C-alpha cells in the first residue's frame, strides 16, 4: 500500500522574467510505500523541492491528487532553521509541544543524535553539523509517520555531511519511517534510499528508477553503491 501518492499531479508557475506559465509537473505520478525511503535526484530546477513542498502541503497542486497519510510530518531542510535565542533542548521541546507530546522525549532524541551534552547550549555556539543534528532530532522527536528531507546535508562540508548521513541511517534503522529525500548527491541517495527516482525534463518526469538492493547498514565505501552512483551521474549528465 502506498503511504505517499502523487496521482496525475500538475503544478505550474508563472515565470517572473518571461511572464509565461510553465508546467514543472504535468500529470506526474509517484508512490512511496509505507516504511520506504525514496530518494529523488535530478538536475537543478527540475522540480525536486516543488515535489517535496506538494507533499508537505506547502504548495497546492493545480490538478491531480497528493495523498499523504494522516499523522505528523517531520521535515529537515537544507538549513537547520533553529531559534537561536532559546537553548537546543527548547528548540526540540517546541516541536513536541506543537505535536501535543511529552517534552521528556527531547532528551532521548538529542542523545540519539549525539548532542546530550549540548542540550542547554544555544544553537549559535554549535557548529554547522551540530546545528543540523538538532534539526534532525527535532524532525524525529515528534515520532512522525512521514519524514521529508530537502537537501539535508548539502550545506555541510563533506566530512560532516558523511557523518550525518551515517547518523541518519542509524536513526532510520532504529525508528523506521516513510520518507522522501531530495538530493543532488547520487551517493547520498544510494547510501540512504530503498529506491531512487531520477527526475528530468520540463515538465519533469521520472527518467530512471533504481532499486537499491544493498543490505543495511551500508557503507559509503561499498563498491556497489559507488557503481550505482556512477550510473546516476551518467543519467544526469546525459541531460536527465
Ligand atoms: N514559487 C514559485 N514561483 C515561480 N516559480 C517557481 C516557484 N517555485 C518553483 N518555481 C520554479 O519551478 C522550477 C522547479 O523549482 P524547484 O526549486 O522545485 O527545483 P529543484 O529541482 O529543487 O532545484 P534545485 O536543485 O536548484 O533546488 C524552477 O524553474 C523554479 O524557478
Amino acid at each position: 500500500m502506498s503511504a505517499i501518492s502523487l496521482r496525475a499531479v500538475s503544478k505550474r508557475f508563472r515565470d517572473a522574467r518571461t511572464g509565461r506559465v510553465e508546467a514543472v509537473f504535468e500529470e506526474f505520478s509517484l508512490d512511496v510505500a509505507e516504511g520506504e525511503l525514496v530518494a529523488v535526484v535530478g538536475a537543478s530546477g527540475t522540480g525536486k523541492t516543488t515535489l517535496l513542498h506538494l507533499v508537505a502541503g506547502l504548495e497546492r497542486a493545480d490538478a491531480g491528487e497528493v495523498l499523504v497519510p494522516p499523522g505528523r510530518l517531520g521535515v529537515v531542510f537544507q538549513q537547520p532553521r533553529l531559534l537561536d535565542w532559546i537553548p537546543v533542548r527548547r528548540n526540540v521541546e517546541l516541536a513536541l509541544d506543537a505535536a501535543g507530546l511529552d517534552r521528556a522525549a527531547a532528551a532521548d532524541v538529542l542523545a540519539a543524535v549525539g548532542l546530550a551534552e549540548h542540550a542547554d547550549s544555544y544553537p549559535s555556539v554549535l557548529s554547522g553539523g551540530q546545528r543540523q543534528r538538532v534539526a534532525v532530532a527535532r524532525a524525529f522527536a515528534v515520532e512522525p509517520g512521514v519524514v521529508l528531507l530537502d537537501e539535508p546535508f548539502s550545506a555541510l562540508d563533506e566530512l560532516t555531511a558523511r557523518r550525518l548521513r551515517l547518523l541518519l541511517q542509524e536513526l532510520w534503522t532504529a525508528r523506521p519511517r516513510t520518507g522522501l529525500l531530495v538530493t543532488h548527491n547520487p551517493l547520498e541517495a544510494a547510501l540512504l534510499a530503498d529506491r531512487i527516482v531520477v527526475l528530468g525534463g520540463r515538465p519533469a518526469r521520472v527518467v530512471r528508477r533504481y532499486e537499491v538492493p544493498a543490505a543495511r547498514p551500508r557503507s559509503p565505501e561499498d563498491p556497489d553503491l559507488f557503481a550505482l552512483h556512477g550510473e546516476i551521474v551518467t543519467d544526469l549528465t546525459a541531460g536527465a
Side-chain angles (χ1 to χ4, degrees), residues 28 30 38-42 47-48 51-52 151 180-184 189 193 195-199:
F28 179 87
L30 180 73
V38 172
V40 178
V41 180
K48 303 181 298 296
L51 178 67
L52 216 62
E151 299 281 0
L180 205 50
L181 163 70
V182 157
T183 179
H184 281 113
R195 215 151 49 81
I196 301 171
V197 297
V198 182
L199 289 190

Side-chain angles (χ1 to χ4, degrees), residues 13-14 24 43-51 59 151 184 202:
F13 290 113
R14 185 176 295 280
V24 176
S44 187
T46 19
K48 303 181 298 296
T49 296
T50 301
L51 178 67
E59 298 272 8
E151 299 281 0
H184 281 113
R202 168 68 57 89

